[in-house]
Amino acid sequence: QVQLVEAGGGLVQAGDSLRLSCAASGRTFSSYTMGWFRKTPGKDRESVAVISRSGGRTVYADSVKGRFTISRDNAKNTVYLQMNSLIPEDTAVYYCAASPLPLATMAIERYDTWGQGTQVTVSS
């Protein structure tokens, strides 16, 4: 089982950028599809972006397409989420998660290992 630790959250202003990172330890990182998800109070957890094992395929939620970029470095066992042009609606706790399935899916139920989350707050 892989263990995940997120970092990089914080308080920023609208229009700013942040880069989240998720460091993995344990079993072979490159054997997992990875994803970023977010949760705000009163709402269900939302899929943000996912990336295939090799990094060759990425999928984004419509709400972040063109602003966020997911990437991974399998040599460093790390997945990243570059967030540009942040808006207040991006405020949430962001989680990274791992799926043992080869398909880069946005289906949350396919991810069985989760980090502890990192808070991102965007002020207007």
Side-chain angles (χ1 to χ4, degrees), residues 41-103:
K43 293 186 178 181
D44 292 335
R45 192 168 294 192
E46 174 189 15
S47 302
V48 175
V50 301
I51 188 166
S52 63
R53 293 170 171 176
S54 67
R57 173 170 162 77
T58 57
V59 184
Y60 295 92
D62 288 343
S63 58
V64 306
K65 204 171 292 184
R67 299 188 298 121
F68 290 11
T69 302
I70 188 171
S71 62
R72 67 189 297 163
D73 186 336
N74 286 344
K76 295 183 177 179
N77 287 0
T78 303
V79 61
Y80 304 96
L81 186 68
Q82 178 67 43
M83 304 186 293
N84 298 330
S85 302
L86 284 160
I87 59 178
E89 290 75 16
D90 294 321
T91 296
V93 177
Y94 284 73
Y95 300 86
C96 72
S99 169
L101 300 177
L103 182 65

Short mmCIF file of all heavy atoms in Angstrom, two decimals, residues 41-103:
data_model
loop_
_atom_site.label_atom_id
_atom_site.label_comp_id
_atom_site.label_asym_id
_atom_site.label_seq_id
_atom_site.Cartn_x
_atom_site.Cartn_y
_atom_site.Cartn_z
N PRO A 41 -17.06 22.39 2.59
CA PRO A 41 -18.14 22.06 3.51
C PRO A 41 -19.50 22.09 2.83
O PRO A 41 -19.80 23.01 2.06
CB PRO A 41 -18.02 23.15 4.59
CG PRO A 41 -16.60 23.57 4.54
CD PRO A 41 -16.20 23.48 3.10
N GLY A 42 -20.29 21.08 3.07
CA GLY A 42 -21.62 21.03 2.52
C GLY A 42 -21.71 20.48 1.11
O GLY A 42 -22.82 20.38 0.57
N LYS A 43 -20.58 20.17 0.53
CA LYS A 43 -20.58 19.62 -0.82
C LYS A 43 -19.89 18.27 -0.84
O LYS A 43 -19.06 17.96 0.02
CB LYS A 43 -19.85 20.57 -1.79
CG LYS A 43 -20.55 21.89 -2.02
CD LYS A 43 -19.82 22.68 -3.09
CE LYS A 43 -20.52 23.99 -3.40
NZ LYS A 43 -19.81 24.76 -4.45
N ASP A 44 -20.22 17.46 -1.84
CA ASP A 44 -19.54 16.18 -2.02
C ASP A 44 -18.11 16.42 -2.49
O ASP A 44 -17.80 17.46 -3.08
CB ASP A 44 -20.27 15.33 -3.05
CG ASP A 44 -21.63 14.87 -2.56
OD1 ASP A 44 -21.81 14.78 -1.33
OD2 ASP A 44 -22.50 14.58 -3.42
N ARG A 45 -17.26 15.43 -2.24
CA ARG A 45 -15.90 15.51 -2.75
C ARG A 45 -15.95 15.54 -4.29
O ARG A 45 -16.72 14.81 -4.91
CB ARG A 45 -15.10 14.31 -2.27
CG ARG A 45 -13.62 14.43 -2.49
CD ARG A 45 -12.86 13.36 -1.74
NE ARG A 45 -12.97 13.52 -0.28
CZ ARG A 45 -12.22 12.86 0.61
NH1 ARG A 45 -11.31 11.99 0.16
NH2 ARG A 45 -12.37 13.04 1.88
N GLU A 46 -15.11 16.39 -4.87
CA GLU A 46 -15.13 16.63 -6.31
C GLU A 46 -13.81 16.19 -6.93
O GLU A 46 -12.74 16.46 -6.38
CB GLU A 46 -15.34 18.13 -6.56
CG GLU A 46 -15.25 18.57 -8.01
CD GLU A 46 -15.26 20.08 -8.16
OE1 GLU A 46 -15.04 20.79 -7.16
OE2 GLU A 46 -15.47 20.56 -9.28
N SER A 47 -13.90 15.54 -8.06
CA SER A 47 -12.69 15.18 -8.81
C SER A 47 -12.15 16.43 -9.51
O SER A 47 -12.91 17.14 -10.15
CB SER A 47 -12.99 14.09 -9.84
OG SER A 47 -13.53 12.95 -9.21
N VAL A 48 -10.86 16.65 -9.41
CA VAL A 48 -10.24 17.83 -10.01
C VAL A 48 -9.42 17.45 -11.25
O VAL A 48 -9.61 18.01 -12.32
CB VAL A 48 -9.35 18.56 -9.00
CG1 VAL A 48 -8.62 19.72 -9.66
CG2 VAL A 48 -10.17 19.04 -7.81
N ALA A 49 -8.50 16.52 -11.09
CA ALA A 49 -7.63 16.11 -12.19
C ALA A 49 -7.03 14.75 -11.87
O ALA A 49 -6.76 14.46 -10.71
CB ALA A 49 -6.52 17.13 -12.43
N VAL A 50 -6.80 13.95 -12.90
CA VAL A 50 -6.17 12.65 -12.72
C VAL A 50 -5.12 12.45 -13.80
O VAL A 50 -5.15 13.10 -14.85
CB VAL A 50 -7.20 11.49 -12.77
CG1 VAL A 50 -8.24 11.67 -11.67
CG2 VAL A 50 -7.85 11.39 -14.12
N ILE A 51 -4.17 11.56 -13.50
CA ILE A 51 -3.07 11.32 -14.42
C ILE A 51 -2.76 9.83 -14.43
O ILE A 51 -2.76 9.17 -13.40
CB ILE A 51 -1.84 12.17 -14.03
CG1 ILE A 51 -0.74 12.08 -15.07
CG2 ILE A 51 -1.32 11.79 -12.64
CD1 ILE A 51 0.34 13.16 -14.90
N SER A 52 -2.47 9.32 -15.62
CA SER A 52 -2.20 7.90 -15.77
C SER A 52 -0.83 7.54 -15.18
O SER A 52 -0.04 8.41 -14.81
CB SER A 52 -2.24 7.53 -17.25
OG SER A 52 -1.21 8.22 -17.96
N ARG A 53 -0.57 6.26 -15.13
CA ARG A 53 0.66 5.77 -14.50
C ARG A 53 1.92 6.37 -15.12
O ARG A 53 2.86 6.75 -14.42
CB ARG A 53 0.72 4.25 -14.63
CG ARG A 53 -0.32 3.51 -13.84
CD ARG A 53 -0.34 2.05 -14.23
NE ARG A 53 -1.19 1.24 -13.35
CZ ARG A 53 -1.43 -0.04 -13.53
NH1 ARG A 53 -0.89 -0.69 -14.55
NH2 ARG A 53 -2.21 -0.69 -12.68
N SER A 54 1.93 6.46 -16.44
CA SER A 54 3.11 6.99 -17.13
C SER A 54 3.12 8.50 -17.23
O SER A 54 4.13 9.11 -17.57
CB SER A 54 3.19 6.41 -18.54
OG SER A 54 2.12 6.90 -19.32
N GLY A 55 1.95 9.10 -16.96
CA GLY A 55 1.80 10.54 -17.14
C GLY A 55 1.34 10.93 -18.53
O GLY A 55 1.16 12.11 -18.82
N GLY A 56 1.12 9.95 -19.39
CA GLY A 56 0.77 10.25 -20.76
C GLY A 56 -0.66 10.68 -20.98
O GLY A 56 -0.99 11.24 -22.03
N ARG A 57 -1.51 10.40 -20.00
CA ARG A 57 -2.91 10.79 -20.15
C ARG A 57 -3.36 11.55 -18.90
O ARG A 57 -3.10 11.12 -17.77
CB ARG A 57 -3.80 9.56 -20.34
CG ARG A 57 -5.29 9.86 -20.33
CD ARG A 57 -6.11 8.65 -20.75
NE ARG A 57 -7.51 8.75 -20.38
CZ ARG A 57 -8.42 9.50 -21.00
NH1 ARG A 57 -8.07 10.24 -22.04
NH2 ARG A 57 -9.67 9.52 -20.59
N THR A 58 -4.02 12.67 -19.12
CA THR A 58 -4.57 13.47 -18.03
C THR A 58 -6.03 13.80 -18.33
O THR A 58 -6.43 13.90 -19.50
CB THR A 58 -3.79 14.78 -17.83
OG1 THR A 58 -3.79 15.52 -19.07
CG2 THR A 58 -2.35 14.51 -17.42
N VAL A 59 -6.80 13.95 -17.28
CA VAL A 59 -8.22 14.32 -17.40
C VAL A 59 -8.49 15.41 -16.36
O VAL A 59 -7.99 15.32 -15.23
CB VAL A 59 -9.14 13.11 -17.15
CG1 VAL A 59 -10.59 13.50 -17.37
CG2 VAL A 59 -8.76 11.94 -18.05
N TYR A 60 -9.29 16.41 -16.75
CA TYR A 60 -9.57 17.53 -15.87
C TYR A 60 -11.07 17.76 -15.74
O TYR A 60 -11.84 17.54 -16.68
CB TYR A 60 -8.93 18.82 -16.41
CG TYR A 60 -7.43 18.80 -16.44
CD1 TYR A 60 -6.76 18.38 -17.58
CD2 TYR A 60 -6.69 19.19 -15.33
CE1 TYR A 60 -5.37 18.34 -17.61
CE2 TYR A 60 -5.31 19.16 -15.36
CZ TYR A 60 -4.66 18.73 -16.50
OH TYR A 60 -3.28 18.70 -16.52
N ALA A 61 -11.47 18.27 -14.59
CA ALA A 61 -12.83 18.76 -14.43
C ALA A 61 -12.99 20.02 -15.26
O ALA A 61 -12.04 20.80 -15.42
CB ALA A 61 -13.11 19.05 -12.96
N ASP A 62 -14.19 20.22 -15.78
CA ASP A 62 -14.44 21.41 -16.61
C ASP A 62 -14.14 22.69 -15.85
O ASP A 62 -13.68 23.68 -16.43
CB ASP A 62 -15.89 21.41 -17.09
CG ASP A 62 -16.16 20.36 -18.14
OD1 ASP A 62 -15.19 19.84 -18.75
OD2 ASP A 62 -17.35 20.05 -18.37
N SER A 63 -14.38 22.67 -14.55
CA SER A 63 -14.21 23.89 -13.74
C SER A 63 -12.76 24.34 -13.61
O SER A 63 -12.50 25.48 -13.26
CB SER A 63 -14.81 23.67 -12.34
OG SER A 63 -14.18 22.57 -11.70
N VAL A 64 -11.81 23.44 -13.90
CA VAL A 64 -10.39 23.81 -13.74
C VAL A 64 -9.62 23.72 -15.06
O VAL A 64 -8.44 24.09 -15.11
CB VAL A 64 -9.70 22.93 -12.69
CG1 VAL A 64 -10.46 22.97 -11.37
CG2 VAL A 64 -9.52 21.50 -13.16
N LYS A 65 -10.27 23.24 -16.10
CA LYS A 65 -9.59 23.05 -17.37
C LYS A 65 -9.03 24.38 -17.87
O LYS A 65 -9.71 25.41 -17.85
CB LYS A 65 -10.58 22.47 -18.38
CG LYS A 65 -9.96 21.70 -19.52
CD LYS A 65 -11.03 20.98 -20.33
CE LYS A 65 -11.70 19.86 -19.56
NZ LYS A 65 -12.67 19.10 -20.39
N GLY A 66 -7.76 24.35 -18.28
CA GLY A 66 -7.10 25.56 -18.75
C GLY A 66 -6.43 26.36 -17.67
O GLY A 66 -5.64 27.27 -17.95
N ARG A 67 -6.73 26.06 -16.40
CA ARG A 67 -6.13 26.77 -15.28
C ARG A 67 -5.21 25.86 -14.45
O ARG A 67 -4.21 26.34 -13.91
CB ARG A 67 -7.22 27.36 -14.37
CG ARG A 67 -8.14 28.35 -15.05
CD ARG A 67 -9.06 29.02 -14.05
NE ARG A 67 -9.95 28.08 -13.37
CZ ARG A 67 -9.97 27.92 -12.05
NH1 ARG A 67 -9.17 28.61 -11.26
NH2 ARG A 67 -10.83 27.05 -11.49
N PHE A 68 -5.58 24.60 -14.31
CA PHE A 68 -4.81 23.66 -13.50
C PHE A 68 -4.08 22.68 -14.41
O PHE A 68 -4.57 22.31 -15.48
CB PHE A 68 -5.74 22.87 -12.57
CG PHE A 68 -6.37 23.65 -11.45
CD1 PHE A 68 -6.31 25.04 -11.40
CD2 PHE A 68 -7.04 22.99 -10.43
CE1 PHE A 68 -6.88 25.75 -10.37
CE2 PHE A 68 -7.63 23.69 -9.39
CZ PHE A 68 -7.55 25.07 -9.37
N THR A 69 -2.92 22.22 -13.92
CA THR A 69 -2.15 21.21 -14.63
C THR A 69 -1.66 20.16 -13.65
O THR A 69 -1.01 20.49 -12.65
CB THR A 69 -0.93 21.83 -15.34
OG1 THR A 69 -1.37 22.85 -16.25
CG2 THR A 69 -0.17 20.76 -16.13
N ILE A 70 -1.99 18.91 -13.94
CA ILE A 70 -1.50 17.80 -13.12
C ILE A 70 -0.29 17.20 -13.81
O ILE A 70 -0.25 17.09 -15.04
CB ILE A 70 -2.60 16.74 -12.89
CG1 ILE A 70 -2.14 15.69 -11.88
CG2 ILE A 70 -3.05 16.11 -14.20
CD1 ILE A 70 -3.26 14.73 -11.44
N SER A 71 0.70 16.82 -13.03
CA SER A 71 1.89 16.18 -13.57
C SER A 71 2.46 15.24 -12.53
O SER A 71 2.05 15.28 -11.36
CB SER A 71 2.95 17.22 -13.98
OG SER A 71 3.37 17.97 -12.85
N ARG A 72 3.35 14.39 -12.93
CA ARG A 72 3.98 13.47 -12.00
C ARG A 72 5.42 13.26 -12.37
O ARG A 72 5.79 13.35 -13.54
CB ARG A 72 3.22 12.14 -11.95
CG ARG A 72 3.28 11.32 -13.21
CD ARG A 72 2.32 10.12 -13.13
NE ARG A 72 2.67 9.19 -12.08
CZ ARG A 72 1.83 8.26 -11.60
NH1 ARG A 72 0.60 8.17 -12.08
NH2 ARG A 72 2.21 7.43 -10.64
N ASP A 73 6.22 12.95 -11.36
CA ASP A 73 7.62 12.61 -11.54
C ASP A 73 7.81 11.26 -10.87
O ASP A 73 7.94 11.18 -9.64
CB ASP A 73 8.51 13.68 -10.92
CG ASP A 73 9.99 13.45 -11.20
OD1 ASP A 73 10.37 12.29 -11.46
OD2 ASP A 73 10.76 14.40 -11.14
N ASN A 74 7.81 10.20 -11.64
CA ASN A 74 7.90 8.86 -11.06
C ASN A 74 9.25 8.60 -10.41
O ASN A 74 9.36 7.77 -9.51
CB ASN A 74 7.59 7.81 -12.12
CG ASN A 74 6.11 7.76 -12.46
OD1 ASN A 74 5.26 8.28 -11.72
ND2 ASN A 74 5.78 7.14 -13.58
N ALA A 75 10.28 9.30 -10.85
CA ALA A 75 11.59 9.15 -10.22
C ALA A 75 11.62 9.73 -8.81
O ALA A 75 12.39 9.29 -7.96
CB ALA A 75 12.66 9.81 -11.07
N LYS A 76 10.74 10.73 -8.57
CA LYS A 76 10.67 11.37 -7.26
C LYS A 76 9.45 10.92 -6.46
O LYS A 76 9.20 11.44 -5.37
CB LYS A 76 10.65 12.89 -7.42
CG LYS A 76 11.92 13.47 -8.01
CD LYS A 76 11.86 14.99 -8.08
CE LYS A 76 13.16 15.56 -8.62
NZ LYS A 76 13.11 17.06 -8.71
N ASN A 77 8.68 9.99 -7.03
CA ASN A 77 7.48 9.49 -6.35
C ASN A 77 6.55 10.63 -5.94
O ASN A 77 6.00 10.66 -4.82
CB ASN A 77 7.84 8.67 -5.10
CG ASN A 77 8.42 7.31 -5.45
OD1 ASN A 77 8.56 6.96 -6.62
ND2 ASN A 77 8.78 6.55 -4.44
N THR A 78 6.35 11.57 -6.84
CA THR A 78 5.57 12.76 -6.51
C THR A 78 4.62 13.12 -7.64
O THR A 78 4.98 13.02 -8.82
CB THR A 78 6.50 13.96 -6.22
OG1 THR A 78 7.40 13.61 -5.15
CG2 THR A 78 5.71 15.18 -5.80
N VAL A 79 3.43 13.55 -7.25
CA VAL A 79 2.46 14.10 -8.21
C VAL A 79 2.19 15.55 -7.81
O VAL A 79 2.21 15.89 -6.63
CB VAL A 79 1.17 13.26 -8.24
CG1 VAL A 79 0.47 13.25 -6.89
CG2 VAL A 79 0.23 13.75 -9.33
N TYR A 80 2.00 16.39 -8.82
CA TYR A 80 1.85 17.82 -8.61
C TYR A 80 0.51 18.30 -9.16
O TYR A 80 -0.05 17.70 -10.08
CB TYR A 80 2.97 18.59 -9.31
CG TYR A 80 4.36 18.17 -8.90
CD1 TYR A 80 5.07 17.25 -9.67
CD2 TYR A 80 4.96 18.69 -7.76
CE1 TYR A 80 6.34 16.85 -9.31
CE2 TYR A 80 6.24 18.31 -7.40
CZ TYR A 80 6.93 17.39 -8.17
OH TYR A 80 8.20 17.00 -7.81
N LEU A 81 0.05 19.42 -8.63
CA LEU A 81 -1.08 20.13 -9.19
C LEU A 81 -0.72 21.61 -9.24
O LEU A 81 -0.65 22.27 -8.20
CB LEU A 81 -2.36 19.92 -8.38
CG LEU A 81 -3.61 20.53 -8.99
CD1 LEU A 81 -3.99 19.78 -10.28
CD2 LEU A 81 -4.79 20.50 -8.02
N GLN A 82 -0.42 22.09 -10.43
CA GLN A 82 -0.16 23.52 -10.63
C GLN A 82 -1.48 24.22 -10.83
O GLN A 82 -2.23 23.88 -11.76
CB GLN A 82 0.75 23.72 -11.84
CG GLN A 82 1.04 25.17 -12.16
CD GLN A 82 1.87 25.85 -11.10
OE1 GLN A 82 2.84 25.29 -10.58
NE2 GLN A 82 1.50 27.08 -10.75
N MET A 83 -1.77 25.19 -9.98
CA MET A 83 -3.05 25.89 -10.02
C MET A 83 -2.79 27.36 -10.33
O MET A 83 -2.16 28.05 -9.53
CB MET A 83 -3.78 25.74 -8.68
CG MET A 83 -3.97 24.29 -8.26
SD MET A 83 -4.98 24.12 -6.78
CE MET A 83 -3.89 24.86 -5.56
N ASN A 84 -3.26 27.80 -11.48
CA ASN A 84 -3.10 29.19 -11.90
C ASN A 84 -4.46 29.88 -11.94
O ASN A 84 -5.50 29.22 -11.98
CB ASN A 84 -2.45 29.25 -13.28
CG ASN A 84 -1.05 28.66 -13.29
OD1 ASN A 84 -0.32 28.69 -12.30
ND2 ASN A 84 -0.67 28.10 -14.44
N SER A 85 -4.42 31.20 -11.97
CA SER A 85 -5.65 31.99 -12.07
C SER A 85 -6.69 31.52 -11.07
O SER A 85 -7.87 31.30 -11.42
CB SER A 85 -6.22 31.92 -13.49
OG SER A 85 -5.27 32.37 -14.43
N LEU A 86 -6.28 31.39 -9.83
CA LEU A 86 -7.18 30.88 -8.79
C LEU A 86 -8.34 31.83 -8.56
O LEU A 86 -8.19 33.06 -8.64
CB LEU A 86 -6.40 30.64 -7.51
CG LEU A 86 -5.53 29.38 -7.51
CD1 LEU A 86 -4.45 29.45 -6.44
CD2 LEU A 86 -6.38 28.14 -7.33
N ILE A 87 -9.48 31.27 -8.27
CA ILE A 87 -10.69 32.02 -7.97
C ILE A 87 -11.22 31.56 -6.62
O ILE A 87 -10.88 30.46 -6.16
CB ILE A 87 -11.75 31.81 -9.08
CG1 ILE A 87 -12.10 30.33 -9.22
CG2 ILE A 87 -11.27 32.38 -10.41
CD1 ILE A 87 -13.19 30.05 -10.27
N PRO A 88 -12.05 32.37 -5.96
CA PRO A 88 -12.56 31.98 -4.63
C PRO A 88 -13.26 30.62 -4.62
O PRO A 88 -13.20 29.92 -3.61
CB PRO A 88 -13.51 33.13 -4.29
CG PRO A 88 -12.94 34.31 -4.99
CD PRO A 88 -12.42 33.77 -6.29
N GLU A 89 -13.89 30.27 -5.73
CA GLU A 89 -14.58 28.99 -5.82
C GLU A 89 -13.63 27.79 -5.76
O GLU A 89 -14.07 26.65 -5.59
CB GLU A 89 -15.40 28.91 -7.10
CG GLU A 89 -16.64 29.83 -7.13
CD GLU A 89 -16.29 31.29 -7.34
OE1 GLU A 89 -15.15 31.59 -7.78
OE2 GLU A 89 -17.16 32.14 -7.06
N ASP A 90 -12.33 28.04 -5.88
CA ASP A 90 -11.35 26.96 -5.75
C ASP A 90 -11.01 26.66 -4.30
O ASP A 90 -10.28 25.71 -4.01
CB ASP A 90 -10.06 27.32 -6.49
CG ASP A 90 -10.24 27.43 -7.99
OD1 ASP A 90 -10.98 26.60 -8.56
OD2 ASP A 90 -9.64 28.34 -8.60
N THR A 91 -11.53 27.47 -3.38
CA THR A 91 -11.27 27.24 -1.97
C THR A 91 -11.80 25.88 -1.54
O THR A 91 -12.98 25.58 -1.75
CB THR A 91 -11.92 28.35 -1.12
OG1 THR A 91 -11.30 29.60 -1.44
CG2 THR A 91 -11.77 28.07 0.36
N ALA A 92 -10.93 25.07 -0.95
CA ALA A 92 -11.31 23.71 -0.56
C ALA A 92 -10.13 23.04 0.13
O ALA A 92 -9.01 23.57 0.11
CB ALA A 92 -11.71 22.88 -1.79
N VAL A 93 -10.40 21.88 0.70
CA VAL A 93 -9.32 20.99 1.11
C VAL A 93 -9.01 20.10 -0.09
O VAL A 93 -9.92 19.47 -0.64
CB VAL A 93 -9.70 20.14 2.33
CG1 VAL A 93 -8.56 19.17 2.68
CG2 VAL A 93 -10.02 21.03 3.52
N TYR A 94 -7.77 20.08 -0.50
CA TYR A 94 -7.34 19.30 -1.65
C TYR A 94 -6.66 18.01 -1.19
O TYR A 94 -5.79 18.04 -0.31
CB TYR A 94 -6.39 20.12 -2.52
CG TYR A 94 -7.11 21.15 -3.35
CD1 TYR A 94 -7.64 22.30 -2.76
CD2 TYR A 94 -7.29 20.98 -4.72
CE1 TYR A 94 -8.33 23.24 -3.51
CE2 TYR A 94 -7.97 21.92 -5.48
CZ TYR A 94 -8.48 23.05 -4.86
OH TYR A 94 -9.16 23.97 -5.62
N TYR A 95 -7.08 16.92 -1.80
CA TYR A 95 -6.55 15.60 -1.47
C TYR A 95 -5.92 14.97 -2.70
O TYR A 95 -6.47 15.10 -3.80
CB TYR A 95 -7.66 14.67 -0.99
CG TYR A 95 -8.40 15.13 0.24
CD1 TYR A 95 -9.49 15.98 0.14
CD2 TYR A 95 -8.03 14.68 1.50
CE1 TYR A 95 -10.19 16.40 1.26
CE2 TYR A 95 -8.73 15.08 2.64
CZ TYR A 95 -9.80 15.94 2.50
OH TYR A 95 -10.48 16.32 3.62
N CYS A 96 -4.82 14.28 -2.51
CA CYS A 96 -4.36 13.41 -3.58
C CYS A 96 -4.74 11.98 -3.23
O CYS A 96 -4.93 11.65 -2.04
CB CYS A 96 -2.86 13.54 -3.84
SG CYS A 96 -1.80 12.82 -2.59
N ALA A 97 -4.89 11.16 -4.24
CA ALA A 97 -5.31 9.79 -4.04
C ALA A 97 -4.70 8.90 -5.10
O ALA A 97 -4.36 9.37 -6.19
CB ALA A 97 -6.83 9.69 -4.05
N ALA A 98 -4.61 7.62 -4.77
CA ALA A 98 -4.02 6.64 -5.67
C ALA A 98 -5.02 5.55 -6.01
O ALA A 98 -5.79 5.11 -5.15
CB ALA A 98 -2.78 6.02 -5.02
N SER A 99 -4.99 5.13 -7.26
CA SER A 99 -5.82 4.03 -7.72
C SER A 99 -4.94 2.94 -8.32
O SER A 99 -4.05 3.24 -9.11
CB SER A 99 -6.81 4.52 -8.78
OG SER A 99 -7.44 3.43 -9.40
N PRO A 100 -5.21 1.68 -7.98
CA PRO A 100 -4.42 0.59 -8.56
C PRO A 100 -4.82 0.26 -9.99
O PRO A 100 -4.15 -0.53 -10.66
CB PRO A 100 -4.71 -0.59 -7.63
CG PRO A 100 -6.09 -0.31 -7.13
CD PRO A 100 -6.17 1.19 -7.00
N LEU A 101 -5.90 0.87 -10.47
CA LEU A 101 -6.38 0.58 -11.82
C LEU A 101 -5.55 1.34 -12.85
O LEU A 101 -5.12 2.46 -12.59
CB LEU A 101 -7.85 0.97 -11.94
CG LEU A 101 -8.80 0.25 -10.99
CD1 LEU A 101 -10.22 0.78 -11.16
CD2 LEU A 101 -8.75 -1.25 -11.22
N PRO A 102 -5.37 0.77 -14.03
CA PRO A 102 -4.55 1.44 -15.05
C PRO A 102 -5.26 2.60 -15.74
O PRO A 102 -4.63 3.44 -16.36
CB PRO A 102 -4.24 0.31 -16.05
CG PRO A 102 -5.39 -0.64 -15.90
CD PRO A 102 -5.78 -0.58 -14.45
N LEU A 103 -6.57 2.66 -15.63
CA LEU A 103 -7.34 3.67 -16.34
C LEU A 103 -7.31 4.99 -15.58
O LEU A 103 -7.54 5.03 -14.37
CB LEU A 103 -8.78 3.21 -16.48
CG LEU A 103 -9.72 4.13 -17.26
CD1 LEU A 103 -9.29 4.22 -18.71
CD2 LEU A 103 -11.15 3.60 -17.16
#
